[in-house]
Amino acid sequence: MPRISDRQRIAQDIRDKIASGEYAPGDKLPSLRELIALYGVSAEPVRSALLILQAEGLVEGHQGKGTYVTPRQPTP
């Protein structure tokens, strides 16, 4: 079984937290520093995971303010 990359693991975990309502629409995600500590990785996989989630429309980044769960979730 191939090992899942850190960025995929982090993206999936955040996806799951959004789906479960732990991170609700409009919520601010933990800071980059907090996510690095939470997942025990460097900044790069965290940034990559957030870019994946942005591309999926689940989160949106605001320069200097942080990353937020998008207000309306896209329907599959």
Side-chain angles (χ1 to χ4, degrees):
M1 186 168 138
R3 184 179 170 275
I4 184 166
S5 72
D6 284 333
R7 89 168 168 246
Q8 290 170 313
R9 175 175 61 89
I10 295 164
Q12 187 58 55
D13 189 58
I14 295 172
R15 225 181 261 123
D16 291 345
K17 288 179 177 177
I18 291 170
S20 73
E22 187 175 335
Y23 294 154
D27 278 359
K28 184 176 192 280
L29 295 185
S31 69
L32 184 64
R33 182 175 288 145
E34 289 169 325
L35 291 170
I36 289 167
L38 181 66
Y39 294 109
V41 296
S42 67
E44 194 48 47
V46 174
R47 283 197 192 99
S48 295
L50 293 176
L51 286 173
I52 291 168
L53 295 169
Q54 280 183 30
E56 292 172 358
L58 291 173
V59 301
E60 49 194 21
H62 297 280
Q63 189 66 41
K65 292 185 182 163
T67 304
Y68 293 81
V69 179
T70 50
R72 287 175 307 288
Q73 295 308 317
T75 49

